[in-house]
Amino acid sequence: MTDTAREEILGRINQALGRRGGGEYVSSASGTVPAASPSAAAGSRTGAGHGTDENTDDADSRTPAAGGGMVNQSADYLRTGTHSGEDLIALLIDRLEDYKANVHRVSGDPAATIAGLLESGSNIVVPRGLDESWLQEFSGEISVDAPGQELSIPELDAQAAVVTASAVAIAQTGTIVLDGSPGCGRRAITLVPDHHVCVVRVADVVDIVPEGIARLTPEAALTFISGPSATSDIELKRVEGVHGPRTLDVVIVEE
């Protein structure tokens, strides 16, 4: 992720939480910043080192509520984004590519594109509910994973790739969500094979996280995917494929 993307995401989180940089809260209900006290105003001008006491006073006015959350803190937050149409898709592509995913746009039938992403004659696994027409041009062996007919981990490990649909794609964060539905399959089939081809319908792309969450069933087994599996935990060196596929191909389909 670039510094610009990180700053934009953190800025939107702060905005959604109703606070400015440095943890100073504003009124998210009204969308306006309350008048600052003289000391707070001085702190905002003089920068670092002047925010601690003001934030402590502000925090003292909010009392932890039973079961979490804060009394007097508005639950209002941004629920809809501002991007739509081509801008929305362009934003999703930008975020996905920033996460090192390969993005392919298709208008109509994605079968030829999907076949081109898979090695000819290889073994792949798909969930039982995947649209069969998407694989009509693939020439390899297809294993179907279904409830009661789950492939074992060694069997999944022997697959060159997995092809799934998706439930929602969130443009602002470049996140694709799988919900365990028949077209998405169970979580294991998208974590064990080293190559994931994921189909995203344009109609399932939303701008921000609250819009995506609103489309999902909370009880479902949700998997949030933002690029190929990667970690920089050790000496800040990026290592891919630690917890899932090293290659993520996203096929964005406009039907």
Side-chain angles (χ1 to χ4, degrees), residues 218-234:
E219 296 80 7
L222 302 176
T223 303
F224 291 72
I225 301 170
S226 294
S229 170
T231 179
S232 299
D233 289 346
I234 300 176

Side-chain angles (χ1 to χ4, degrees), residues 128-212:
R128 182 181 59 181
L130 191 76
D131 189 331
E132 295 181 0
S133 68
W134 292 354
L135 298 173
Q136 60 186 354
E137 297 194 28
F138 173 63
S139 59
E141 181 175 340
I142 301 172
S143 297
V144 178
D145 188 271
Q149 299 176 329
E150 295 90 351
L151 273 66
S152 66
I153 296 302
E155 288 172 328
L156 288 175
D157 196 34
Q159 307 300 317
V162 55
V163 181
T164 73
S166 59
V168 171
I170 303 169
Q172 289 281 357
T173 59
T175 303
I176 298 170
V177 186
L178 311 183
D179 63 357
S181 59
C184 295
R186 64 189 176 108
R187 183 171 293 160
I189 70 171
T190 62
L191 296 180
V192 180
D194 201 31
H195 181 193
H196 184 187
V197 178
C198 187
V199 178
V200 174
R201 293 185 172 93
V202 167
D204 294 328
V205 179
V206 299
D207 193 356
I208 61 177
V209 172
E211 291 176 286

Side-chain angles (χ1 to χ4, degrees), residues 5 22 38 43 46 49 54 115 147 208:
T46 53
E54 297 132 23
I208 61 177

Side-chain angles (χ1 to χ4, degrees), residues 2 56 59 81 105 114 118 126 133 151 198 203 213 221 223 245 248:
T2 64
T56 301
R105 292 194 67 174
I114 293 174
L118 301 170
V126 301
S133 68
L151 273 66
C198 187
I213 297 298
T223 303
L248 173 63

Side-chain angles (χ1 to χ4, degrees), residues 33-60:
V33 180
S37 65
S39 60
S44 65
R45 286 195 297 270
T46 53
H50 295 269
T52 303
D53 290 342
E54 297 132 23
N55 290 339
T56 301
D57 293 342
D58 196 26
D60 288 345

Side-chain angles (χ1 to χ4, degrees), residues 82-94 105 171 207:
T82 57
H83 294 86
S84 62
E86 186 59 30
D87 288 344
L88 181 66
I89 304 305
L91 179 63
L92 174 64
I93 293 174
D94 177 76
R105 292 194 67 174
D207 193 356

